[in-house]
Amino acid sequence: MSAQVRGQRRSRLRRILRGMRLNFITLGLLIVLTVLGLSLIRTSLLKNAQETGTALTQIYAAEGESNLTIYETLLSFGTSSISDRLASKTSREDLVSSLNLYFQRVEAVLGKGIVDPYLVLDGKILAANPWDGDTPMMSPPRNGIRKRARPEAR
């Protein structure tokens, strides 16, 4: 190719590029705005997700604390009631009947299977849900309502 043809091609390319200069600037601005917009959206979404997680954590903690307070109140009520009945020398049958009613109410309030209350009376375990392995204790602790752990599954 001759130098004249190369020169014509270069001048034509320069004219085309000068005409497209505004288009390139506009494209560059759009790319910058898109990147900035995506960055702002991402930051906003991450901040909202963090706030939601924090709020959920606080709600779960408050619910757990509430459940523990309810459980503590029910245990206090139950031990006080049983202690009063024992002090007034209530018959064993009446004691077992009131204990079963208490166990039903605890289960109604807390939900089935949440706690497994029982009473150790005269060395024998009186449980709402007896299971294999309930045996009289040789040296029972003082009478009262306690929570027992379920045996581990094998």
Side-chain angles (χ1 to χ4, degrees), residues 120-137:
V120 177
L121 181 63
D122 299 327
K124 295 183 181 171
I125 297 174
L126 301 174
N129 303 310
W131 42 272
D132 292 338
D134 279 349
T135 57
M137 302 175 87

Side-chain angles (χ1 to χ4, degrees), residues 67-68 70-71 74 106-117 129 147-150:
N67 288 342
L68 288 175
I70 290 170
Y71 180 56
L74 288 172
V106 166
E107 191 172 88
V109 171
L110 297 177
K112 188 173 179 94
I114 301 298
V115 294
D116 191 8
N129 303 310
K147 181 181 177 290
R148 67 176 169 199
R150 291 275 184 196

Side-chain angles (χ1 to χ4, degrees), residues 44-79:
S44 177
L45 287 174
L46 287 173
K47 182 180 176 186
N48 288 340
Q50 182 177 9
E51 289 173 2
T52 301
T54 301
L56 282 174
T57 303
Q58 289 173 347
I59 289 169
Y60 286 138
E63 183 180 358
E65 186 176 340
S66 173
N67 288 342
L68 288 175
T69 302
I70 290 170
Y71 180 56
E72 180 183 12
T73 303
L74 288 172
L75 280 178
S76 295
F77 172 75
T79 55

